[in-house]
């Protein structure tokens, strides 16, 4: 048996038990893929980040949902570096982080805000029937068509691929009753990790968007506050010229209120980056059985 330090760090918030909880294993050296997957299933949050040494960067991060490995996770990155900064492992500085999508920069500011630089984004319109998307979300198609005249359904990707769905009003976004099987079929068809729905009708005056994200194919029925999705939607808004005046220096995105985990993501362009604060909610140890020889060979 091996014992590893394991934390739950709540990202995109400075209040414990809000925002998006991430599992963090700050020293995962020696953990193979099968055991990382088992740990993620045990911690049972949307994603768990595992910190490994890297031969090409300052750190290597791998991310697992309870059911599968994902290439990149914004909130788990913010949570990991928020913890490393709080623990004195890193200083306020910029670090090269090896991920499955390549080496990305992560910047830690003096106040504990963590910024993740994302890949150069791509945005491509998709041809899906509004009736079908609305049925998957359990809302009236008119709530999508109302916005769709100016902002179409599209795939936005900056390391993680999302189906971006604009909704006219917060009331309708809040009334979403997702058919997770139908959403999974939609995201599989367009090869997206999740469906990211948003509205300009935000709760707070200083926020530009309110969002919800569903990724059942990745084992995430609804993600409370999604960092890579925030980057994707910011790239989408920039691509389609969504703001009548000059694009804002920073887009503030609310999320998580409808699952009782409110949080806020900050997003910027040129380069595309997402950021926020985090707070440690749980710090302990986890006993992990040793891997067998077949697991070591497959890792």
């Amino acid at each position: 048996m091996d014992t590893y330090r394991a934390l739950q760090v709540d990202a995109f918030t400075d209040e414990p038990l809000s925002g998006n909880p991430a599992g963090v294993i700050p020293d995962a050296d020696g953990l193979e893929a099968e055991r990382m997957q088992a740990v993620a299933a045990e911690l049972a949050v949307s994603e768990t980040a595992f910190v490994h040494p890297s031969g090409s960067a300052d750190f290597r991060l791998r991310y697992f949902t309870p059911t599968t490995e994902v290439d990149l996770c914004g909130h788990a990155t913010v949570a990991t570096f928020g913890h490393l900064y709080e623990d004195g492992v890193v200083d306020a500085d910029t670090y090269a982080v090896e991920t499955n999508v390549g080496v990305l920069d992560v910047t830690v500011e003096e106040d504990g805000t963590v910024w993740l630089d994302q890949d150069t984004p791509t945005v491509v319109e998709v041809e899906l029937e509004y009736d079908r998307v609305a049925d998957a979300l359990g809302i009236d198609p008119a709530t999508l068509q109302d916005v769709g005249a100016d902002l179409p359904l599209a795939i936005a990707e900056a390391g993680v691929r999302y189906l971006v769905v604009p909704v006219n009003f917060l009331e309708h976004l809040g009334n979403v009753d997702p058919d997770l099987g139908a959403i999974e079929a939609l995201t599989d068809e367009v090869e997206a990790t999740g469906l990211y729905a948003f509205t300009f009708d935000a709760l707070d005056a200083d926020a530009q968007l309110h969002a919800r994200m569903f990724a059942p194919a990745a084992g995430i029925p609804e993600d409370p506050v999604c960092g890579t999705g925030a980057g994707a939607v910011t790239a989408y808004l920039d691509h389609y010229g969504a703001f009548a005046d000059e694009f804002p220096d920073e887009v503030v995105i609310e999320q998580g209120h409808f699952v009782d985990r409110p949080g806020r993501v900050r997003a910027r362009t040129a380069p595309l980056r997402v950021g926020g604060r985090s707070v440690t909610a749980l710090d302990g140890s986890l006993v992990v059985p040793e891997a067998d020889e077949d697991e070591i060979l497959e890792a």
Side-chain angles (χ1 to χ4, degrees):
M1 300 287 185
D2 296 320
T3 300
Y4 290 85
R5 188 179 182 190
L7 303 97
Q8 178 183 309
V9 182
D10 297 334
F12 299 125
T13 182
D14 53 12
E15 293 286 339
L17 309 184
S18 61
N20 200 351
V24 176
I25 309 299
D27 182 5
D29 194 20
L31 272 178
E32 304 80 17
E34 291 292 332
R35 293 204 293 168
M36 286 189 281
Q37 185 63 77
V39 168
E42 181 71 16
L43 296 181
V45 292
S46 56
E47 278 100 352
T48 295
F50 297 82
V51 184
H52 295 269
S54 172
S56 60
D58 297 310
F59 299 92
R60 166 83 163 113
L61 287 186
R62 292 180 71 175
Y63 311 90
F64 288 78
T65 77
T67 61
T68 191
E69 184 174 9
V70 293
D71 291 336
L72 182 66
C73 177
H75 90 273
T77 303
V78 167
T80 297
F81 276 85
H83 159 68
L84 294 176
Y85 181 61
E86 179 184 343
D87 221 36
V89 177
V90 300
D91 299 319
D93 206 340
T94 297
Y95 299 90
V97 179
E98 181 187 355
T99 73
N100 286 355
V101 300
V103 176
L104 303 175
D105 283 344
V106 174
T107 300
V108 184
E109 296 184 340
E110 292 285 354
D111 68 353
T113 299
V114 176
W115 292 94
L116 168 65
D117 287 11
Q118 296 188 254
D119 281 345
T120 302
T122 59
V123 181
V124 180
E125 187 172 344
V126 293
E127 294 185 5
L128 291 172
E129 294 180 357
Y130 280 110
D131 286 356
R132 184 179 170 200
V133 177
D135 284 347
L137 289 171
I139 55 177
D140 190 322
T143 66
L144 309 183
Q145 293 166 322
D146 190 23
V147 190
D150 298 312
L151 294 173
L153 302 173
I155 294 294
E157 180 177 10
V160 180
R161 187 175 169 95
Y162 291 96
L163 172 60
V164 177
V165 179
V167 179
N168 58 0
F169 296 116
L170 182 62
E171 175 187 3
H172 300 134
L173 184 61
N175 288 336
V176 161
D177 182 17
D179 179 336
L180 296 178
I183 290 176
E184 183 171 349
L186 276 173
T187 54
D188 283 350
E189 181 178 323
V190 298
E191 299 180 340
T193 296
L195 185 157
Y196 190 97
F198 77 93
T199 179
F200 293 104
D201 187 18
L203 289 169
D204 292 337
D206 64 342
Q208 283 78 29
L209 306 180
H210 196 102
R212 299 181 72 176
M213 198 285 282
F214 309 93
I220 306 169
E222 180 168 0
D223 200 30
V225 192
C226 182
T228 53
V233 77
T234 300
Y236 167 96
L237 296 173
D238 191 23
H239 179 82
Y240 287 110
F243 295 97
D245 301 321
E246 185 178 353
F247 198 87
D249 292 335
E250 186 169 290
V251 178
V252 176
I253 302 163
E254 309 167 331
Q255 197 177 343
H257 297 70
F258 296 105
V259 290
D260 297 322
R261 302 282 312 196
R264 295 158 66 89
V265 186
R266 298 161 60 188
R268 298 173 179 172
T269 58
L272 183 65
R273 50 174 25 194
V274 294
R277 300 285 299 277
S278 64
V279 58
T280 298
L282 181 67
D283 187 349
S285 58
L286 189 67
V287 178
V288 185
E290 293 182 7
D292 62 32
E293 187 174 345
D294 289 340
E295 289 175 351
I296 294 171
L297 291 173
E298 291 172 5

